[in-house]
Amino acid sequence: MARIDLNGLGHSYLKRPQARADWALKRMDRTWDDGGAYALLGPSGCGKTTLLNIISGLLTPSEGQILFDGQDVTHLPTAQRNIAQVFQFPVIYDTMTVYENLAFPLKNRKVPADQIDARVREIAGMLELKDRLHRKARGLTADAKQKISLGRGLVRSDVAAILFDEPLTVIDPQLKWMLRSQLKHLHRRFDYTMIYVTHDQTEALTFADKVVVMYEGEIVQMGTPEELFERPAHTFVGYFIGSPGMNILPAEVEGARARVAGHEIALPGRFGRPAGTTKLEIGIRPEFLRLGRAADGEGVPAHLKAVEDVGRFRIARTRLGDYEVAVMCDEHDEIPADDLRVVFDPQRVNVYADGHRMEGEA
Amino acid sequence: MDKPINNKAWLFVLPVLVLVAFSAVIPLMTVVNYSFQDTFGNNQFFWAGLEWYREVLSSERFHNALWRQFLFTGIILAIQIPLGVAVALAMPRKGWGVPVCLVLMALPLLIPWNVVGTIWQIFGRVDIGLLGYTLFNLGIDYNYTQDPLDAWITVVVMDVWHWTSLVVLLCYAGLVSIPDAYYQAAKIDGASRWAVFRYIQLPKMHRVLLIAILLRFMDSFMIYTEPFVVTGGGPGSATSFLSIDLVKMAIGQFDVGPAAAMSIIYFLIILALSYVFYTVMTNAGRER
């Protein structure tokens, strides 16, 4: 187990990167705590896998350093980093039995046979593979294969971190839940540092203590699921996390008031316009909006476009000026057809300058 | 599951049946017919029973040709398969080198077989051939028209030059289909270069390798054109492999009956050996 530090780390697949867009990973300084369960979340092509491969040593970063427990491993090859990795598609050695697969990393490291045996049996027990130890790995189901490839990482007692690259993509939905909770259990019991790459927010939010959201080669937020939900640091996080995502509305801001399409909205504090800002926006989650009537005397006028029933609640799609605003309503709430008002919870409104969240002054 | 029986299905198979009948079944049956009969020309035939089979199977000439054939095929497989795998492993996986290598590899396969024979026939000549002349001037006594060993070496090297590419291309196709994750996992597991070959590349190449061995076995067992052009089966009958010997018998001596019997025996040997090869290798793959 180890703490992982990224110091000024950046990577480009080009030989001579020039524009900012040439960098697959933009310069970053981050620390991943020992024993933490992290999820790397982001859309395809945002640099998740690049970052993962740099940590595992399959890629050498163009600039910056990577430290395991304070020791520089930037130029150490994968085999010497004590990293385990589980790939998107199960990687198993076809011709070997389950036992031989699990023993393989230890055998390569010349561990004595009796130690290998003890360790393999222990790990097989943990992963519930004990009854299949002497079967060919080839004939097993995808989830069992994925367990084997996880097991090959776990058998090494000195593993610094376990990396997962969208490991549940090929697993059946009902088994996904099982495997994920098994992973969570392993994490709690053995305190492995785990980094889990995914583009599925449910997977990220249920697995991780801390979710790292990436967007266009940058880490835009690293936080607990609650933080991501309540205070998205970037409009992308707001939009990407949650279903439906956060409502983002271009606005003008003056003190503790925002102006959207000619209507005033109260803010949780006073905000200024930082110098050089080209775009100010406010963001609020559909969960923190309410529908009201004109007669109630509060809220902003809007038109109802559609109502989606998604089981325990409904989503009202409304139009506020030129902007679409989604509002989450209870299943039994009455949705007024006309003279509609959308009511904002002032404490839950976030203000963004060029996409980045600002802190208000009281 | 019960499958419905519909006799109309035969209609759809019929064209193929007719085609195969004319291209394979009827010619083969003609040979079978010849092999049981004797003729002195004039389209008159006499029943000979198993006489020709007895004669062929007990003739020393057939034994020698068969032995030469096995030796040749054995040497060819022993060189071409490992060499093909090695070349495939050494070929680049990406970049500009890939098309260059692929075209270079495909070149020998694109040349008509008799041209391959002619190329090597001239190449090896001591008076005008680049190879023969060079060897001669280096003081090496090389003459494939007179020395049986030289003739063998020439024919084997020619076949290696001609056909190793096929093994290379098949293996290469198997190799490039291995996802990168396997190599990355092997790195993480600390596997040696040999272990990567033994546990990742070889198992993934297993199927194409099986096909490569089968094809090379059958083709080399039936080899005719190239040695016929280069050595004509000589010196003496040193490089008279089965098919060369067969043609000598059928066309040179017009012994249609024994030649037909020999054809059938020849055919059955290839069929049986291919079957054995195939079963052994597919089972070996399953066992491991």
Side-chain angles (χ1 to χ4, degrees), chain B residues 16-197:
Chain B
V16 174
L17 277 182
V18 170
L19 208 69
V20 172
F22 274 96
S23 71
V25 181
I26 294 174
L28 187 67
M29 290 323 288
T30 321
V31 176
V32 172
N33 193 25
Y34 281 144
S35 74
F36 289 109
Q37 301 191 57
D38 195 3
T39 180
F40 303 105
N42 303 335
N43 227 0
Q44 286 180 308
F45 288 93
F46 309 93
W47 180 253
L50 291 174
E51 181 56 31
W52 299 134
Y53 288 90
R54 238 174 264 133
E55 192 182 302
V56 168
L57 285 173
S58 61
S59 85
E60 204 174 321
R61 177 175 161 182
F62 177 73
H63 292 168
N64 289 337
L66 190 63
W67 157 241
R68 277 193 293 272
Q69 189 64 68
F70 273 115
L71 187 65
F72 177 74
T73 298
I75 293 173
I76 288 301
L77 287 179
I79 296 174
Q80 288 180 1
I81 300 300
L83 184 64
V85 172
V87 173
L89 286 174
M91 267 167 70
R93 302 284 153 73
K94 51 185 164 217
W96 58 269
V98 176
V100 174
C101 284
L102 286 179
V103 170
L104 281 181
M105 281 298 139
L107 273 183
L109 300 175
L110 297 174
I111 301 174
W113 299 359
N114 54 343
V115 178
V116 171
T118 313
I119 290 174
W120 281 82
Q121 200 254 356
I122 297 170
F123 191 46
R125 272 173 67 168
V126 183
D127 49 352
I128 53 167
L130 191 61
L131 174 72
Y133 187 75
T134 312
L135 289 176
F136 178 74
N137 280 293
L138 287 173
I140 298 165
D141 182 22
Y142 165 83
N143 190 330
Y144 66 81
T145 53
Q146 271 151 39
D147 187 309
L149 183 65
D150 289 352
W152 264 82
I153 291 172
T154 309
V155 174
V156 166
V157 171
M158 173 177 65
D159 200 77
V160 168
W161 177 83
H162 192 183
W163 287 111
T164 307
S165 306
L166 180 73
V167 183
V168 173
L169 292 179
L170 284 170
C171 289
Y172 187 71
L175 279 178
V176 291
S177 72
I178 302 176
D180 276 347
Y182 277 84
Y183 294 111
Q184 296 174 349
K187 269 194 208 165
I188 289 168
D189 290 339
S192 62
R193 181 71 194 80
W194 165 251
V196 170
F197 175 70

Side-chain angles (χ1 to χ4, degrees), chain A residues 88-279:
Chain A
Q88 190 167 8
F89 296 97
V91 174
I92 50 145
Y93 301 103
D94 285 338
T95 53
M96 299 186 198
T97 61
V98 175
Y99 183 97
E100 289 165 331
N101 258 284
L102 294 177
F104 191 60
L106 298 181
K107 240 165 118 186
N108 289 328
R109 289 175 172 78
K110 311 255 183 303
V111 176
D114 52 327
Q115 279 181 36
I116 295 184
D117 190 65
R119 193 74 190 147
V120 167
R121 285 179 196 286
E122 187 192 338
I123 297 298
M126 263 162 57
L127 294 173
E128 291 160 23
L129 287 168
K130 230 168 186 164
D131 51 330
R132 279 167 283 185
L133 268 182
H134 295 286
R135 289 246 324 253
K136 291 276 166 206
R138 176 164 46 189
L140 298 177
T141 53
D143 59 305
K145 285 182 181 173
Q146 227 25 336
K147 280 189 196 173
I148 294 173
S149 66
L150 171 63
R152 278 206 319 271
L154 298 181
V155 282
R156 286 154 48 200
S157 47
D158 55 350
V159 168
I162 307 175
L163 313 179
F164 299 87
D165 189 359
E166 306 193 21
L168 301 181
T169 312
V170 292
I171 312 289
D172 289 340
Q174 68 272 32
L175 290 172
K176 267 188 192 175
W177 283 100
M178 264 178 54
L179 268 181
R180 212 183 300 148
S181 57
Q182 218 170 355
L183 272 182
K184 191 103 195 157
H185 174 73
L186 282 174
H187 175 251
R188 284 213 201 92
R189 201 168 134 206
F190 298 98
D191 239 18
Y192 294 113
T193 307
M194 290 186 171
I195 301 175
Y196 189 109
V197 164
T198 179
H199 58 239
D200 179 340
Q201 52 164 312
T202 327
E203 219 167 277
L205 297 174
T206 51
F207 169 80
D209 309 331
K210 277 212 172 156
V211 178
V212 180
V213 183
M214 291 190 69
Y215 179 59
E216 291 185 344
E218 267 180 295
I219 294 181
V220 287
Q221 189 168 11
M222 188 161 174
T224 61
E226 295 75 44
E227 284 168 354
L228 296 186
F229 186 75
E230 285 168 13
R231 290 183 299 281
H234 191 275
T235 47
F236 173 75
V237 180
Y239 149 83
F240 196 68
I241 307 259
S243 171
M246 186 181 242
N247 296 302
I248 313 274
L249 308 166
E252 284 162 45
V253 175
E254 260 182 53
R257 310 237 132 228
R259 230 173 153 57
V260 175
H263 305 286
E264 289 214 333
I265 292 164
L267 297 176
R270 303 179 64 80
F271 292 86
R273 189 188 180 94
T277 305
T278 54
K279 183 169 71 172

Side-chain angles (χ1 to χ4, degrees), chain A residues 31-32 53 62 69 72 76 83 118 126 140 151 158 162 182 189 220 232 275 279 294-295 303 309 326 335:
Chain A
T31 296
W32 313 66
N53 285 344
S62 313
D69 275 340
D72 186 358
L76 273 191
I83 280 285
M126 263 162 57
L140 298 177
D158 55 350
I162 307 175
Q182 218 170 355
R189 201 168 134 206
V220 287
K279 183 169 71 172
H303 300 286
D309 200 329
I335 297 178

